[in-house]
Amino acid sequence: PASPLDTLKCSAPCDLNRYWNSIEATGTIVAFSLAPIVYNLNTSLYFDSNTKASEVRLYGSTNGSIETILSSASALLTLRAGAPQVTLHGIKMHGRLVVDDGLLLIEDCVVEKSTHPSDGGALSLTGGRAEVRNTWFLDNHADRGGAIAVDGGSLLLDNCRLDSNTATLDGGALYVRSGAVNLRSGTLLQGNSALSGNSLYIDGGTV
């Protein structure tokens, strides 16, 4: 049988890191129902083999538009070896997502204005899987892969928009060095810019 669903409702002021630490040992499916405010994270939400929850879900507040914002000057969320499945739904994010292992599901989100000095301004995938649906990557920047960089693992983009992202070198929207990328119908890359490959730069892997 499925594990029980724990729901924590945060309201301002809310330290999401503190809430996460308080439930990390529950060993169940854990869900955050987030209020329509800005959450500023001092450190990344970090998931690995030490994470006790079997699955983590973050639900934003929507009322015709996305009203929950997660913001960080560095990585918002990091999945390492042994991480549980993590789902993000209905959230606007200012910060980078890093997937080295595990499964990250992103649905009905916006990832914008995130920068990184290396690869993948908004999303860096080096292993595991990321499945992204109905999500907009807007105005992100990196050296390679202004929005997304893939160097291993598998990425699915389904009905997504990658718009107005920039890269100093390669792949204004998407840079692929290795791994597999599936661009499904409805995914649009437009208005992106880079020195090479304004929208897409393939250095290896399969697209």
Side-chain angles (χ1 to χ4, degrees):
S3 299
L5 183 65
D6 296 338
T7 301
L8 297 178
K9 295 184 180 295
C10 300
S11 58
C14 180
D15 182 344
L16 196 59
N17 293 105
R18 178 175 61 83
Y19 271 94
W20 169 242
N21 291 336
S22 73
I23 54 84
E24 190 175 5
T26 61
T28 64
I29 298 175
V30 175
F32 285 98
S33 179
L34 302 176
I37 60 173
V38 177
Y39 298 85
N40 291 306
L41 303 184
N42 295 323
T43 60
S44 176
L45 294 174
Y46 195 92
F47 305 94
D48 59 15
S49 59
N50 293 318
T51 302
K52 301 303 188 295
S54 59
E55 183 180 342
V56 178
R57 304 170 183 173
L58 301 180
Y59 294 102
S61 177
T62 58
N63 184 19
S65 63
I66 297 175
E67 299 176 342
T68 298
I69 299 174
L70 295 181
S71 181
S72 175
S74 57
L76 273 176
L77 179 147
T78 302
L79 274 66
R80 300 292 192 197
Q85 175 178 312
V86 176
T87 298
L88 307 174
H89 183 89
I91 300 171
K92 183 177 289 186
M93 290 169 275
H94 303 161
R96 188 168 180 252
L97 308 173
V98 178
V99 180
D100 295 333
D101 194 16
L103 172 59
L104 175 64
L105 303 178
I106 304 174
E107 303 168 344
D108 301 318
C109 290
V110 175
V111 190
E112 64 177 3
K113 298 184 173 110
S114 176
T115 64
H116 192 265
S118 183
D119 296 350
L123 171 61
S124 171
L125 179 70
T126 60
R129 292 161 50 205
E131 298 182 3
V132 189
R133 296 177 172 86
N134 306 317
T135 291
W136 192 3
F137 292 86
L138 173 67
D139 196 21
N140 302 287
H141 177 77
D143 273 359
R144 292 181 173 86
I148 302 172
V150 180
D151 191 11
S154 65
L155 170 68
L156 167 69
L157 294 176
D158 186 0
N159 196 36
C160 294
R161 288 182 60 184
L162 284 70
D163 193 349
S164 303
N165 303 284
T166 60
T168 305
L169 300 174
D170 307 320
L174 176 60
Y175 174 78
V176 184
R177 179 179 286 122
S178 66
V181 177
N182 183 353
L183 301 177
R184 287 204 178 163
S185 176
T187 293
L188 179 65
L189 284 65
Q190 67 176 19
N192 305 286
S193 63
L195 183 65
S196 299
N198 285 332
S199 289
L200 172 64
Y201 191 95
I202 303 173
D203 210 9
T206 59
V207 179

